[in-house]
Amino acid sequence: MLTRRKLIKRLSAVPLLGGLVGSALPLESALASEVAKVPARDVLKELGLRTFINAAGNYTAMTASIMPDEVLAAIQTSSQEYVMLEEVQDKVGEKIAALVHAEAAMVTAGCWSALVLGTAGVLTGMDQKKVSQLPRLEGTGMKSEVIVQKGHNTGYVHALTNTGVSIVEIETIEEAEKAINEKTAMMWFLNTASLLGKIQHAEWVALAKKHNIPTMIDIAADVPPVENLWKFNELGFDLVCISGGKAMRGPQSAGILMGKKELIAAARLSAPPRGGNIGRGMKVNKEEMIGMYVAVERFVNMDHVKERKMWDDRVAEIEGKLKTVAGVTTEMYLPPIANHVPTVKITWDNTKIKLTRKDLVENLRKGSPSIEVVPGGGDLPSIDVTVFMLKPGQDKIVVARIKEELTKALV
Ligand SMILES: *Cc1c(COP(=O)(O)O)cnc(C)c1O
């Protein structure tokens, strides 16, 4: 084994390090400062990866968001020491819970993993045998059905069915009352689909409470507004699941499960570092836990009015510059629930501008710098530009490139 003495001796033999070891600096900080001196490599460039201006939004395939400096610094610092993973989860969970006004919280491997682990916790409680039986439910004494409104029954329910449960689809309160039975484990709500369901939040929670059934809500992409971090805890949902790497700009592979203390404790039985459970593959490292904590803290404390003003200024810049092109109309809209941030819809008259939406998207992608936007819906050709993931000054580049492409295609 390499003793501290031997290590110092070896380091002294390295000419560059010799001076440092002889100084008053403790060995650890001498080593840490050497780590910092490793020349930064532009690995993205080495690999020939295309980087782009993100005028599209928080898309998982586009790596969602860029972590702020505070988050990166916390990740860097925490990566230099060993700690017990469970203790990180305890401490970080407590801090996050206080920030989001929940009884308890844990960092998960994304919102999806929060959905899986939260459901697992509801099914197993603190029973270790049940934890090891998932995703098999038959003959175990565990409940096996989750009630979901028809409009909420999307691909995301696959996170729930990973635990072995089946989905019971209902549309009205009466149907829900009929569907509830001794096998009902949970009632699940997809916030982004609220407007597609007949039953709203308060009624959903009241119905569940009446029958003593736990509730879970998926609010993955539903901040801003920041108040949504606590709104659903306060409304009485037992579990709330959110993505960490979308608008909160934590690590992309992190998320948060928050809610009732005993349910979070139960969910942790299915999560690493424990094995022999369905969640062992949903590992979150200490850096992501710490990074997620710092990201939530930053998001809760930041000046959201100022942030919104910056987005509105970008929208004004884009709309102002494009108004001068014949046949182009622009309109700012706010998606009502998920990704509730200013978005500009740019529409053009294709008798005046001969360009398909697909070609504009492609031309912006192939240009320099490369830019990602979203092809718009509707009959007329259009694109959607989202401004919240832009870095300062990029709004000017984006609008100049769009204007150039539209002007080139004028007939
Ligand atoms: C993004 C998203 C998820 C998955 O979240 P991850 O953090 O990527 O795991 C789940 N539900 C909804 C509604 C989402 O938008």
Side-chain angles (χ1 to χ4, degrees):
M1 212 183 96
L2 193 61
T3 64
R4 192 183 166 96
R5 258 182 91 96
K6 277 190 203 150
L7 179 63
I8 292 175
K9 230 173 149 184
R10 273 194 205 174
L11 288 172
S12 316
V14 182
L16 264 177
L17 278 169
L20 279 175
V21 174
S23 77
L25 282 175
L27 179 62
E28 284 76 12
S29 37
L31 286 172
S33 61
E34 281 311 301
V35 170
K37 278 183 203 154
V38 173
R41 274 172 66 181
D42 191 344
V43 183
L44 292 177
K45 204 165 172 183
E46 282 176 32
L47 297 177
L49 284 163
R50 174 175 69 96
T51 60
F52 51 85
I53 293 178
N54 182 1
N58 281 153
Y59 286 90
T60 298
M62 295 185 192
T63 63
S65 61
I66 288 182
M67 290 181 274
D69 289 344
E70 301 95 295
V71 174
L72 288 168
I75 287 174
Q76 174 74 22
T77 316
S78 60
S79 70
Q80 299 303 308
E81 299 289 348
Y82 288 98
V83 280
M84 297 307 286
L85 198 57
E86 283 282 82
E87 291 177 20
V88 184
Q89 187 72 282
D90 286 344
K91 295 279 182 202
V92 161
E94 250 174 57
K95 290 282 190 190
I96 293 178
L99 286 163
V100 300
H101 314 186
E103 275 182 30
M106 68 183 285
V107 181
T108 58
C111 181
W112 191 280
S113 136
L115 298 167
V116 179
L117 296 176
T119 309
V122 164
L123 295 171
T124 65
M126 295 305 283
D127 186 332
Q128 197 56 59
K129 179 155 180 236
K130 288 178 178 169
V131 169
S132 69
Q133 286 169 323
L134 290 184
R136 188 172 59 84
L137 298 172
E138 223 178 290
T140 64
M142 283 187 271
K143 299 181 193 275
S144 57
E145 294 178 357
V146 174
I147 298 181
V148 177
Q149 293 186 70
K150 189 174 178 202
H152 298 212
N153 195 3
T154 60
Y156 296 111
V157 303
H158 207 126
L160 314 178
T161 57
N162 273 349
T163 64
V165 298
S166 29
I167 301 299
V168 178
E169 196 181 272
I170 57 97
E171 278 193 85
T172 61
I173 294 265
E174 294 68 44
E175 283 174 26
E177 292 270 14
K178 263 196 219 134
I180 291 170
N181 67 73
E182 71 284 354
K183 285 188 273 180
T184 308
M186 189 170 82
M187 288 172 58
W188 186 73
F189 200 99
L190 177 59
N191 194 48
T192 184
S194 300
L195 304 173
L196 304 173
K198 293 196 164 88
I199 312 171
Q200 292 309 310
H201 307 77
E203 272 183 304
W204 193 253
V205 169
L207 179 64
K209 285 207 191 304
K210 183 173 139 195
H211 294 276
N212 211 12
I213 297 166
T215 44
M216 175 190 277
I217 186 167
D218 172 339
I219 60 161
D222 307 346
V223 290
V226 63
E227 294 79 28
N228 277 359
L229 279 177
W230 41 88
K231 179 175 171 183
F232 304 99
N233 297 311
E234 289 172 354
L235 255 168
F237 280 94
D238 297 296
L239 288 170
V240 179
C241 308
I242 190 165
S243 292
K246 292 177 179 170
M248 280 198 285
R249 296 174 59 190
Q252 189 189 4
S253 46
I256 299 169
L257 175 68
M258 45 178 139
K260 288 275 176 301
K261 211 172 196 136
E262 66 278 10
L263 290 178
I264 302 293
R268 284 178 62 175
L269 297 183
S270 284
R274 295 177 180 80
N277 54 33
I278 59 166
R280 180 60 182 83
M282 301 172 194
K283 185 160 60 191
V284 185
N285 63 34
K286 64 174 181 287
E287 294 85 356
E288 289 171 314
M289 288 183 192
I290 304 260
M292 192 65 248
Y293 160 48
V294 173
V296 177
E297 187 186 47
R298 172 187 170 275
F299 189 73
V300 167
N301 293 329
M302 72 189 281
D303 185 343
H304 289 276
V305 173
K306 195 168 143 204
E307 181 93 343
R308 175 61 197 270
K309 163 98 180 40
M310 179 175 76
W311 297 341
D312 286 340
D313 289 348
R314 289 174 180 172
V315 167
E317 164 80 16
I318 294 169
E319 291 200 288
K321 291 265 163 64
L322 292 179
K323 251 202 313 247
T324 59
V325 185
V328 175
T329 52
T330 63
E331 185 202 348
M332 193 280 269
Y333 73 96
L334 272 172
I337 303 172
N339 298 302
H340 181 68
V341 289
T343 306
V344 192
K345 178 167 279 305
I346 301 162
T347 308
W348 60 95
D349 175 349
N350 51 357
T351 65
K352 294 200 175 90
I353 297 172
K354 284 282 169 225
L355 188 64
T356 64
R357 74 191 85 197
K358 189 161 163 269
D359 284 341
L360 180 53
V361 170
E362 261 315 293
N363 294 351
L364 293 170
R365 184 173 287 150
K366 285 191 192 129
S368 179
S370 179
I371 299 169
E372 288 290 341
V373 297
V374 177
D379 295 336
L380 293 171
S382 70
I383 57 166
D384 289 348
V385 168
T386 307
V387 299
F388 78 138
M389 287 295 117
L390 297 176
K391 296 179 191 170
Q394 287 185 334
D395 50 329
K396 293 200 168 55
I397 302 171
V398 170
V399 70
R401 280 290 297 126
I402 294 173
K403 190 171 174 179
E404 183 181 24
E405 290 296 329
L406 290 170
T407 312
K408 255 195 329 210
L410 275 168
V411 289

